[in-house]
Amino acid sequence: MNGSSGHNLPPILPVGTAVVTRVVVRGADHEVLRPAGSVGVIVSAPMDLDHPYRIRFADGKEVTLSRPEMYVLRHFQHPDQGDQADAMVEHDLYQHVIYRCVIGSRAYGLEHDASDYDRRGIYLPPASLHWSMIGVPEQLENQATQDCYWELQKFLTLALRANPNVLEVLYSPLVEHAAPAAQELLDMRQVFLSKLVYQTYNGYVLSQFKKLEADMRNHGQVKWKHAMHLIRLLLAGITVLREAYVPVRVIEHRDRLMTIRRGQMPWDQVDAWRLELHRQFDEAYAKTALPDRPDYLVVDEFLIRTRRSMVQ
């Protein structure tokens, strides 16, 4: 995360973002270089919120500005609401994160010394923002830390479609924050599990393995980390159908999976393991007790009830 600034502060703006100066830009001798309202582009972004950005203007001149000294151009252009849109999107919404967890290699038990902490979660904005001209984005992304938080309805929609990344968020063993609404969601998470997992997981793995095989034929190389995660996804899908929960940690398979990641398992052995897992997946699908579809009604009632709680 961003130093000691906490989880509710605005994200670091990425290089390439167009900005508008809030203040008069002055040089070393206090001469006016640019009036307030000048447009520039971020060419260097800090690693935390305590340091300035480097901004380049059309004539090539560069200055340093802190985050409060500039607007994001696209927010500034919002009709009559430049300040408001800027604040709502970049600050206030992060204060409505109701769920945050760690996913990725550290949650899977496949981390190494250099592994990052990948965080995902859900935010629940006030109803007034949904009703306003500003609206709310489907997800908040912090480019510096690569955190991502889905708006509640977007998250629920993806979960109902058996999106693997979203289901893993619901079952992560590394939960850092869960507000009461999020805890209620975790308590009912099994309603998202259905036979759709078979089609979603299988379809994704099949399409991605075709790409890996093409890379092998055309370039003689494979993205081994990606191959490892595709095998992990098949292992997870089989367990979902057999045992009705999403297994995030895969410690029992760690050695074999890490061998793939390091490129130490021959491709024909990786492919043979994949085909065997597809066979097991087919068998699990034929025997699963999961329903054909998730419980849309229960999820819809939860969304309405939770949204209603944000009216005030």
Side-chain angles (χ1 to χ4, degrees):
M1 299 302 291
N2 296 335
S4 61
S5 301
H7 295 287
N8 290 330
L9 291 174
I12 301 296
L13 299 175
V15 171
T17 301
V19 297
V20 178
T21 60
R22 293 176 183 257
V23 298
V24 174
V25 180
R26 299 181 182 276
D29 297 324
H30 300 289
E31 75 278 16
V32 175
L33 299 180
R34 286 288 183 280
S38 298
V39 176
V41 174
I42 295 175
V43 294
S44 178
M47 293 300 296
D48 57 55
L49 296 170
D50 299 321
H51 293 83
Y53 294 80
R54 191 154 193 85
I55 312 301
R56 180 180 297 155
F57 298 104
D59 62 1
K61 291 184 178 179
E62 297 182 4
V63 299
T64 56
L65 293 174
S66 66
R67 182 63 189 87
E69 294 178 320
M70 57 190 178
Y71 303 99
V72 174
L73 176 60
R74 64 187 177 89
H75 301 163
F76 182 80
Q77 293 172 326
H78 195 286
D80 302 321
Q81 299 185 57
D83 283 329
Q84 191 177 4
D86 200 60
M88 290 296 187
V89 174
E90 294 184 23
H91 183 76
D92 291 350
L93 293 183
Y94 275 84
Q95 299 199 28
H96 297 289
V97 169
I98 62 171
Y99 179 65
R100 182 176 61 251
C101 69
V102 175
I103 54 93
S105 60
R106 292 192 177 276
Y108 304 143
L110 300 174
E111 74 275 12
H112 52 83
D113 292 342
S115 292
D116 295 327
Y117 280 88
D118 299 318
R119 291 177 171 87
R120 298 291 182 269
I122 306 167
Y123 82 98
L124 176 63
S128 58
L129 284 185
H130 277 290
W131 301 333
S132 73
M133 291 293 292
I134 296 172
V136 295
E138 290 187 334
Q139 63 189 52
L140 306 176
E141 293 186 78
N142 188 323
Q143 297 290 341
T145 59
Q146 305 206 354
D147 296 357
C148 177
Y149 302 94
W150 289 278
E151 191 275 325
L152 179 61
Q153 181 178 353
K154 178 65 175 181
F155 181 90
L156 297 177
T157 300
L158 292 172
L160 287 168
R161 294 174 181 169
N163 180 289
N165 294 329
V166 168
L167 291 181
E168 286 177 358
V169 169
L170 286 173
Y171 283 82
S172 172
L174 303 177
V175 175
E176 295 184 338
H177 170 65
Q183 187 58 56
E184 182 181 353
L185 180 61
L186 293 178
D187 291 343
M188 58 178 270
R189 62 192 177 184
Q190 193 169 8
V191 304
F192 294 99
L193 302 184
S194 73
K195 291 180 180 178
L196 285 178
V197 165
Y198 176 77
Q199 287 84 11
T200 304
Y201 283 47
N202 241 342
Y204 180 73
V205 171
L206 286 170
S207 66
Q208 293 301 305
F209 253 90
K210 285 183 179 179
K211 293 180 180 179
L212 291 178
E213 289 169 344
D215 288 341
M216 176 65 80
R217 288 194 306 269
N218 299 330
H219 307 291
Q221 60 184 12
V222 172
K223 296 178 180 178
W224 292 108
K225 181 179 178 181
H226 190 41
M228 176 194 72
H229 282 300
L230 292 175
I231 295 293
R232 181 192 59 77
L233 200 61
L234 285 175
L235 290 166
I238 293 167
T239 300
V240 173
L241 294 183
R242 287 176 175 172
E243 302 179 35
Y245 82 97
V246 180
V248 176
R249 293 190 73 79
V250 287
I251 294 298
E252 66 273 26
H253 301 287
R254 176 184 168 88
D255 290 344
R256 291 184 74 188
L257 290 171
M258 294 300 285
T259 299
I260 295 176
R261 178 175 183 150
R262 292 190 294 264
Q264 296 172 343
M265 182 181 292
W267 176 252
D268 59 344
Q269 291 184 27
V270 175
D271 199 39
W273 190 9
R274 173 184 72 92
L275 293 174
E276 169 58 20
L277 291 176
H278 277 302
R279 186 195 65 77
Q280 293 180 31
F281 212 174
D282 291 344
E283 182 181 85
Y285 180 67
K287 297 179 180 180
T288 186
L290 290 179
D292 290 339
R293 294 288 185 272
D295 197 328
Y296 295 98
L297 181 59
V298 168
V299 175
D300 191 53
E301 290 174 346
F302 168 78
L303 176 61
I304 293 171
R305 182 171 63 256
T306 308
R307 281 261 180 88
R308 185 175 288 130
S309 72
M310 298 300 289
V311 169
Q312 298 298 327

